[in-house]
């Protein structure tokens, strides 16, 4: 019993210290908050009273009906599993749980987006209206799409655009065309199957990549 109370005291103290790390007076209702999370930046909308609405992948609701466990801070393991299984929701967490120990940028996207931000109350109202389970896509509907719609009225993701640009540069390059052609030739020679049905796809794919480069 004593050990249980001691552990509770320890976690409560840690939680209090984590919460005090963030100065809530810096945030206004409707502010767009962003923090580094795994390989990408994570975004949320500040609702006021130490509450942040954010779209986050989470596998736990699928495998557990324990609402108290689901309500706890989403760890990176839960997040990554949610990304893979495309399970996500728009939920409300404290600033500390949202930030996951990272420094918070406030309204940084105002400098990037050409569209002026909506009124703070309207931003928060939109964020609250979309609470609940959503269909998640890393490329087509993620946390950035959500906050950009809420604050600027358009669901876009600069991270997705940059990611697709990098992938395009890698895939649609002359080197990629060379490698594709070489792999096709090596495969045909290894299998001893050099026919029109194997040569034509190899040439067509390599030519398409070459023209796209």
């Amino acid at each position: 019993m004593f050990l249980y109370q001691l552990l509770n005291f320890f976690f409560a103290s840690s939680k209090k210290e984590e919460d005090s790390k963030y100065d809530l007076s810096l945030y206004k209702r409707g502010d767009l908050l962003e923090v580094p999370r795994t390989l990408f930046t994570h975004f949320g909308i500040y609702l006021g009273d130490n509450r942040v609405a954010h779209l986050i992948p989470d596998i736990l609701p699928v495998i557990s009906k324990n609402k108290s466990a689901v309500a706890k801070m989403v760890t990176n393991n839960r997040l990554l599993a949610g990304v893979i299984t495309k399970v996500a929701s728009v939920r409300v967490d404290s600033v500390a749980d949202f930030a996951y120990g990272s420094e918070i940028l406030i309204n940084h996207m105002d400098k990037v987006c050409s569209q002026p931000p909506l009124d703070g109350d309207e931003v928060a109202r939109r964020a609250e209206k979309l609470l609940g389970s959503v269909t998640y896509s890393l490329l087509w509907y993620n946390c950035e799409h959500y906050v950009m719609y809420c604050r600027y009225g358009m669901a876009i993701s600069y991270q997705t655009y940059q990611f697709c640009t990098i992938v395009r540069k890698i895939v649609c390059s002359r080197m990629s065309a060379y490698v594709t052609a070489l792999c096709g030739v090596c495969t045909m020679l290894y299998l001893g199957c050099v026919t029109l049905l194997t040569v034509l796809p190899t040439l067509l794919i390599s030519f398409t990549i070459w023209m796209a480069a």
Side-chain angles (χ1 to χ4, degrees):
M1 184 67 178
F2 173 74
L3 181 60
Y4 176 76
Q5 291 176 333
L6 186 63
L7 287 173
N8 275 344
F9 175 77
F10 172 76
F11 285 118
S13 300
S14 299
K15 179 69 175 175
K16 187 175 181 180
E17 183 180 343
E18 187 70 24
D19 287 339
S20 65
K21 177 181 177 180
Y22 302 99
D23 183 0
L24 300 183
S25 65
L26 297 175
Y27 316 121
K28 301 188 300 294
R29 182 170 166 82
D31 278 350
L32 192 160
L33 310 183
E34 56 182 282
V35 294
R37 193 79 191 262
T38 61
L39 299 177
F40 296 94
T41 300
H42 186 54
F43 298 86
I45 297 294
Y46 188 67
L47 302 178
D49 299 324
N50 193 25
R51 297 177 302 130
V52 181
H54 58 132
L55 190 162
I56 188 165
D58 184 12
I59 190 64
L60 195 57
V62 176
I63 60 179
S64 174
K65 299 299 181 183
N66 188 333
K67 292 184 178 180
S68 62
V70 172
K72 290 181 179 178
M73 179 172 56
V74 178
T75 63
N76 282 338
N77 289 337
R78 285 169 57 180
L79 187 153
L80 291 172
V83 169
I84 294 170
T85 55
K86 295 180 176 290
V87 177
S89 66
V90 177
R91 54 183 279 167
V92 176
D93 284 308
S94 68
V95 170
D97 283 356
F98 162 78
Y100 204 64
S102 301
E103 295 297 323
I104 299 176
L105 286 178
I106 307 171
N107 297 329
H108 172 70
M109 296 303 292
D110 287 0
K111 303 174 184 177
V112 179
C113 185
S114 58
Q115 191 79 3
L118 300 171
D119 176 73
D121 281 332
E122 172 62 15
V123 174
R125 187 191 66 79
R126 289 184 173 210
E128 291 167 332
K129 188 177 180 180
L130 295 173
L131 292 176
S133 299
V134 297
T135 301
Y136 180 80
S137 170
L138 183 62
L139 295 182
W140 311 121
Y141 193 62
N142 58 42
C143 61
E144 189 174 5
H145 291 97
Y146 165 70
V147 298
M148 292 297 287
Y149 165 75
C150 292
R151 187 163 175 85
Y152 307 104
M154 49 185 187
I156 61 174
S157 172
Y158 290 101
Q159 288 186 112
T160 295
Y161 176 77
Q162 291 170 352
F163 175 76
C164 291
T165 300
I166 293 172
V167 171
R168 181 182 177 278
K169 286 181 178 179
I170 295 172
V171 175
C172 299
S173 65
R174 293 186 176 185
M175 180 58 70
S176 181
Y178 294 142
V179 171
T180 301
L182 182 61
C183 288
V185 171
C186 290
T187 301
M188 286 186 292
L189 293 175
Y190 177 77
L191 296 175
C193 184
V194 183
T195 66
L196 184 62
L197 291 177
T198 56
V199 172
L200 192 59
T202 299
L203 291 176
L204 184 61
I205 294 172
S206 300
F207 177 75
T208 302
I209 295 174
W210 175 269
M211 294 304 293

